[in-house]
Amino acid sequence: MFGSLSEQVEVKVPAEKAWDLYGSIKLGDIAAKHILERLDVIEGDGGVGTVIKITFKPGSGISYYKEKYTMIDNDNMVRETEIVEGGYLDFGFTLYRVRIEVKDNPNDKTGVSCIVKMTIEYEVKEEAADNASLVTIEPFVVLMKFANEHLLKVEVKVSADKAWQLYGTIKLGEIAAKHTLECMEVIEGDGGVGTVIKVTFKPESRVSYCKEKFTMIDNDKMVREVEIIEGGYLDFGYTLYRIRIEVKDNANDKTGASCVVKMTIEYEVKEEAAGNASLVTIEPFVVLMKYTQTNIS
């Protein structure tokens, strides 16, 4: 008996950047951190032939399995792995294959977002056909959520406190004005909650300008939020466009000499303008974060 399941998500980064994560062993590292008990590389370095052992958390129903990287096509951005020991093979399955595909987003002509698709293909012995119900795409949907959050984070080689002096203040807008915008003007305020700035984009941009209001600044938790209150995406049927900036200690750096900066976009769009949701992209902020690192390192 043969079967398959698949799921795809839109990712707000270019396909090449997404493939750098989804096409490598880095994806396993994220799984180990968030949804597994542990992951061990048994053989290889992430290329074809690599074998990893996946140990699940207690109560998962499956204790472990080993999977092998059987195909990696960097040109077409496709990767396949198959279970070679344990896991579903212990329940009468003769094949359990996971395919990951990263593709350009056909609805995004700017190339700043992509589509990630995960497919499970399996074969199970006839006498064990009832066990086909064990197969679920849900763990991979959860993994994609964590992976996509990872793509929107940048490691900065300074302490969190020092990074916050830039990311938590109006200085960030000044850097954006210098490198990625036409200009930025402070309409009201001094960088605290309630400050309003006017952002004018370069002539080639689809959006001419917007006004943003600083709606929340939490210096203790190092979180800041701004919302568009005029122009910009609001002219394309959006009722909410919020940017959240978070600065956190780097959990992998015990010295405290680096931190992680995460930018999140939250938006709401009217049903009749739902097609305009594809306009949203995190890429300008990824570019901005690259410029900011030279100002705080």
Side-chain angles (χ1 to χ4, degrees):
M1 175 183 173
F2 177 84
S4 67
L5 297 171
S6 65
E7 184 74 27
Q8 66 181 33
V9 296
E10 181 182 22
V11 182
K12 298 294 186 178
V13 299
E16 291 78 8
K17 182 174 181 179
W19 178 244
D20 182 62
L21 174 62
Y22 282 96
S24 72
I25 206 166
K26 298 174 188 176
L27 186 65
D29 295 336
I30 293 174
K33 180 179 180 181
H34 294 286
I35 63 177
L36 303 175
E37 185 69 17
R38 61 181 294 166
L39 179 147
D40 299 286
V41 179
I42 305 300
E43 179 183 340
D45 59 1
V48 171
T50 293
V51 177
I52 61 175
K53 180 181 179 181
I54 293 173
T55 304
F56 293 89
K57 294 182 182 294
S60 299
I62 295 176
S63 59
Y64 88 98
Y65 62 68
K66 292 181 182 178
E67 67 177 19
K68 186 175 184 177
Y69 292 15
T70 55
M71 189 270 283
I72 300 175
D73 184 336
N74 289 312
D75 292 330
N76 292 312
M77 291 184 281
V78 181
R79 187 183 76 166
E80 291 183 353
T81 62
E82 293 184 16
I83 293 180
V84 295
E85 180 185 311
Y88 289 95
L89 300 187
D90 294 338
F91 290 85
F93 288 70
T94 57
L95 170 70
Y96 186 92
R97 177 188 297 129
V98 178
R99 180 183 303 111
I100 301 172
E101 303 170 78
V102 178
K103 302 178 179 180
D104 291 328
N105 186 349
N107 298 319
D108 178 8
K109 303 306 180 185
T110 65
V112 295
S113 66
C114 65
I115 301 295
V116 177
K117 180 179 180 181
M118 284 201 179
T119 302
I120 300 172
E121 296 179 341
Y122 61 90
E123 291 184 5
V124 61
K125 298 173 183 176
E126 288 301 325
E127 60 268 27
D130 289 346
N131 288 338
S133 62
L134 297 175
V135 180
T136 172
I137 200 76
E138 186 59 27
F140 296 100
V141 174
V142 174
L143 175 58
M144 285 193 285
K145 173 182 177 292
F146 285 119
N148 295 344
E149 289 179 354
H150 174 84
L151 286 167
L152 304 182
K153 297 179 181 178
V154 173
E155 182 179 358
V156 181
K157 297 296 185 180
V158 298
S159 67
D161 290 340
K162 186 173 182 180
W164 181 245
Q165 292 174 19
L166 174 61
Y167 285 98
T169 70
I170 207 164
K171 296 176 185 176
L172 184 66
E174 294 169 353
I175 293 173
K178 182 178 179 181
H179 294 285
T180 64
L181 303 175
E182 187 69 16
C183 70
M184 185 207 77
E185 305 166 75
V186 178
I187 304 300
E188 179 182 341
D190 58 0
V193 171
T195 294
V196 176
I197 62 172
K198 180 180 179 181
V199 174
T200 303
F201 298 91
K202 292 184 180 295
E204 62 270 20
S205 300
R206 187 175 302 185
V207 177
S208 60
Y209 88 98
C210 69
K211 289 183 180 179
E212 299 177 351
K213 186 175 184 177
F214 293 12
T215 55
M216 189 272 282
I217 300 175
D218 186 330
N219 289 312
D220 293 329
K221 295 182 178 179
M222 291 184 282
V223 181
R224 179 165 70 106
E225 291 183 352
V226 301
E227 292 184 17
I228 293 180
I229 58 172
E230 180 183 313
Y233 288 96
L234 301 186
D235 294 338
F236 290 84
Y238 288 68
T239 57
L240 171 70
Y241 186 91
R242 177 188 297 127
I243 301 165
R244 180 183 302 112
I245 302 171
E246 303 170 75
V247 178
K248 299 180 179 181
D249 292 327
N250 186 349
N252 298 318
D253 179 6
K254 304 306 180 184
T255 68
S258 66
C259 65
V260 173
V261 177
K262 179 182 177 182
M263 287 199 178
T264 304
I265 298 173
E266 296 177 344
Y267 62 89
E268 293 181 6
V269 62
K270 298 174 184 176
E271 289 297 326
E272 61 267 28
N276 289 337
S278 62
L279 297 176
V280 179
T281 173
I282 201 75
E283 185 61 21
F285 300 101
V286 174
V287 173
L288 174 58
M289 284 193 281
K290 291 179 181 178
Y291 284 118
T292 59
Q293 295 207 46
T294 62
N295 287 267
I296 56 178
S297 56

